[in-house]
Amino acid sequence: MLERLQRRLGLQTIPGVFFTSAGIATLFVAVAVPFDEAVARNFGLLTGWLARNLGWFYILTVSTLLIFLLGLAVSRYGNIRLGADDSRPDYSNLTWFTMLFAAGIGTILMFWGVAEPVSHFANPPFAGVQPRSEQAAGDAMTIALYHFGLHTWTIFAMPGLAIGYFAYRHNLPMRISSLFYPILGERAFGPWGWAVDVVAVLGTLFGVATSLGLGTLQLNSGLNYLFGIPSTGPVQVILIVIITSIAATSVALGLDRGVRRLSQLNIVLAMTLLAFVLAVGPTVFIAEGMVQSVGDYVDALPWLAFWTETFTESDWQRQWTLFYWAWTISWAPYVGIFIARISRGRTIREFVAGVLFAPTAFTLVWFGIFGLSAIQVEMSGQVALAEQVRQDPSVAIFAFLETLPLAGVASGLSVVIIVIFFTTSSDSASLVIDMLTRRDDQPSLVRQRIFWAAAQGAIAATLLLAGGLDALQNVITALGLPFCILLIFMAVALFRALRADYRGYSMNELVQGRAFPEVEAASEITQENEYVSETVDRY
């Protein structure tokens, strides 16, 4: 029946994945619009239950995956390429980085770059720390880097590495279900695999919709500041329609002509804004603060990565860390596939180092310039930033820029950057969802990509009308759990495949259970000893 419907509509898809995903998304919008309060309330209850009972699971999973990726990078598997042994990267390092940044957390940094440090500075989460104290300032920067540094990019890097490895080295389809081929075998291309891809599609839709919702709130605040446009639900829906239309145009142009050029333009604009704030802001204070923040972050990371508020009854982690991890996990399929798409030819060591550390370094600079400058403004009493953030985080960056020279120009540039980040997130996600819902031998139809761009806009508008920021946080925290579980299985499948690859076994031998027979145990031990001996000799 679904295949007949596909032929009638002239689509090129995997019917079970496309129509199931589209149907669930449509059903959510259809139910959430007339019953917005009930939907928001139920997701709030579900999020509360998850935070109380499974918050530790999110935190343990992400921190363990970070250790796993770093271990792969420094291990013998680090030299394995995402492709044939003689393959080389498709993009230069600079182009690769700009695309990583635009597809990853550009919108998030614009929203929280001022709001988060100022919020933690005024309301420290750690017991015994005085608000607005020197300790509170240092902790605020450390927490911001924790939330947007190595841990966030671990969540993106895990599926990106696995997808790139299986797609380019073993010629499997670039879909999340392919990652489970070492576990499921041929069943990865049937209903079991389709179910995995549906989870990935829905996570991507709602994760990106959350980012679009936050971007819309901030864009509306900027337009209100510049032109007096009211910050209301109808205005935000209109903004989503406009930006979705721009994204649909970009996604119709494809990866190289659309997403790549927008990404390069946006990184130039973002760097211009950074340079401006650094030049006219407290430059020496920023420089000193960034150096100190690196040390504070490195020092606090081992315990902060496993901190679960066990001995307190605070709701802080639910509102901040769990929301971030679930949000990032939910759209990890999209960012992972996008990163894999632009990373062919790189070694595992290059991939892990680039995806984890380059964006983290940029995050340090971003929060160092915006966050430290905003903390200095709050300390000096120029503007009550903390109070404005408490009332509406979306106005934070514009309230901060108002304290600088050429505030109108800087705010206008910020609006442009937000629009482009908004667009690149939507159009690259549409390209990825289209890849998840069709076979590799099927053409990518423009109307399918446009449909997914429109679906993201519709979900974002629905969530905003259903409760704004609270609804965005609650829905995404609940929906991140299924893919969090998939990330664990993904790491297991990748490690099994890498072990087999290193010892010269094919993927079929691994699936059929012939990669590690018991009779070869002795030879494996010998290989291990030879490897250790070679390593010792080299050093």
Side-chain angles (χ1 to χ4, degrees):
M1 182 178 67
L2 293 179
E3 292 183 356
R4 289 199 301 270
L5 178 60
Q6 174 177 261
R7 288 193 296 269
R8 183 172 299 177
L9 295 175
L11 303 177
Q12 295 287 337
T13 69
I14 302 172
V17 178
F18 181 91
F19 288 110
T20 301
S21 303
I24 293 174
T26 302
L27 180 63
F28 174 83
V29 173
V31 172
V33 170
F35 304 106
D36 54 347
E37 293 184 2
V39 170
R41 183 173 60 255
N42 288 328
F43 270 104
L45 294 174
L46 179 57
T47 300
W49 184 89
L50 287 173
R52 288 190 302 272
N53 296 280
L54 292 175
W56 62 269
F57 178 71
Y58 280 103
I59 292 171
L60 177 62
T61 297
V62 178
S63 295
T64 302
L65 289 177
L66 171 59
I67 296 171
F68 172 73
L69 288 174
L70 293 175
L72 285 184
V74 300
S75 73
R76 72 191 71 178
Y77 309 122
N79 291 323
I80 296 177
R81 289 193 177 273
L82 306 184
D85 290 336
D86 59 350
S87 61
R88 292 297 179 268
D90 291 342
Y91 299 100
S92 68
N93 289 337
L94 179 60
T95 299
W96 185 49
F97 173 62
T98 60
M99 296 173 78
L100 282 175
F101 178 68
I105 59 173
T107 304
I108 308 174
L109 292 183
M110 286 297 294
F111 192 93
W112 294 111
V114 170
E116 175 155 3
V118 168
S119 178
H120 301 326
F121 175 61
N123 299 283
F126 304 133
V129 178
Q130 288 294 114
R132 294 179 171 83
S133 64
E134 180 181 345
Q135 183 64 45
D139 289 345
M141 291 299 298
T142 298
I143 293 168
L145 294 177
Y146 169 54
H147 283 156
F148 297 103
L150 293 175
H151 279 71
T152 284
W153 286 94
T154 290
I155 297 170
F156 294 151
M158 185 65 252
L161 177 61
I163 292 165
Y165 173 79
F166 285 109
Y168 296 132
R169 195 160 184 91
H170 295 287
N171 299 314
L172 291 174
M174 192 170 283
R175 297 196 300 273
I176 300 299
S177 55
S178 296
L179 310 186
F180 297 88
Y181 186 74
I183 298 174
L184 298 176
E186 294 299 320
R187 290 175 295 176
F189 306 124
W192 282 100
W194 298 345
V196 170
D197 287 331
V198 168
V199 171
V201 170
L202 292 176
T204 300
L205 278 175
F206 282 87
V208 175
T210 298
S211 296
L212 300 187
L214 291 176
T216 300
L217 291 173
Q218 191 175 42
L219 180 59
N220 197 176
S221 296
L223 295 175
N224 177 264
Y225 169 77
L226 291 171
F227 307 111
I229 296 175
S231 296
T232 62
V235 171
Q236 292 160 9
V237 171
I238 292 173
L239 289 175
I240 287 177
V241 171
I242 293 173
I243 301 302
T244 300
S245 300
I246 298 174
T249 302
S250 176
V251 80
L253 295 175
L255 179 62
D256 289 325
R257 295 173 59 194
V259 179
R260 179 181 178 181
R261 292 179 182 177
L262 281 176
S263 300
Q264 292 172 334
L265 171 63
N266 217 31
I267 198 69
V268 171
L269 296 179
M271 293 299 292
T272 300
L273 183 62
L274 275 177
F276 169 77
V277 175
L278 177 63
V280 303
T283 307
V284 175
F285 179 79
I286 291 172
E288 292 177 343
M290 280 197 289
V291 173
Q292 182 171 314
S293 295
V294 172
D296 289 343
Y297 174 56
V298 173
D299 179 62
L301 188 61
W303 70 265
L304 192 58
F306 297 95
W307 177 56
T308 59
E309 287 191 307
T310 304
F311 305 109
T312 64
E313 296 181 358
S314 169
D315 197 38
W316 185 87
Q317 279 200 324
R318 170 189 170 180
Q319 296 177 342
W320 293 97
T321 306
L322 297 185
F323 165 61
Y324 284 143
W325 285 182
W327 179 14
T328 310
I329 287 168
S330 69
W331 65 331
Y334 137 59
V335 181
I337 289 180
F338 185 81
I339 292 175
R341 172 67 178 78
I342 62 177
S343 301
R344 180 169 55 187
R346 297 190 179 273
T347 65
I348 289 177
R349 186 169 294 118
E350 289 173 340
F351 181 95
V352 172
V355 176
L356 289 186
F357 291 100
T360 297
F362 189 88
T363 298
L364 169 66
V365 174
W366 188 278
F367 275 102
I369 293 175
F370 279 97
L372 288 169
S373 298
I375 288 175
Q376 199 272 343
V377 168
E378 179 69 17
M379 292 173 65
S380 67
Q382 288 179 265
V383 177
L385 279 178
E387 179 60 24
Q388 296 193 44
V389 169
R390 187 187 66 81
Q391 294 178 1
D392 184 3
S394 66
V395 306
I397 190 171
F398 301 106
F400 162 69
L401 292 174
E402 195 174 353
T403 66
L404 303 178
L406 301 175
V409 175
S411 295
L413 179 59
S414 297
V415 168
V416 174
I417 293 172
I418 293 167
V419 169
I420 299 180
F421 274 140
F422 202 149
T423 303
T424 53
S425 294
S426 179
D427 59 13
S428 53
S430 301
L431 288 168
V432 166
I433 294 174
D434 183 55
M435 293 172 61
L436 286 171
T437 57
R438 62 178 173 83
R439 299 193 311 269
D440 285 356
D441 60 349
Q442 292 176 318
S444 177
L445 301 182
V446 172
R447 58 180 174 273
Q448 292 174 192
R449 301 199 299 268
I450 291 177
F451 168 78
W452 292 118
Q456 295 162 37
I459 294 172
T462 301
L463 291 174
L464 285 178
L465 294 176
L469 182 59
D470 288 340
L472 293 170
Q473 290 180 323
N474 288 335
V475 169
I476 209 60
T477 302
L479 295 180
L481 180 61
F483 200 76
C484 185
I485 297 171
L486 292 183
L487 284 176
I488 298 172
F489 286 99
M490 194 181 299
V492 173
L494 176 62
F495 185 69
R496 282 172 50 83
L498 288 174
R499 286 185 65 212
D501 190 352
Y502 185 80
R503 289 172 170 79
Y505 295 109
S506 69
M507 185 61 64
N508 286 334
E509 289 176 316
L510 175 62
V511 172
Q512 295 169 10
R514 293 187 286 117
F516 305 108
E518 292 295 328
V519 295
E520 294 186 1
S523 64
E524 288 188 17
I525 294 174
T526 301
Q527 290 180 7
E528 295 281 352
N529 291 336
E530 289 175 352
Y531 172 79
V532 172
S533 298
E534 292 171 1
T535 303
V536 171
D537 291 341
R538 282 202 302 271
Y539 291 96

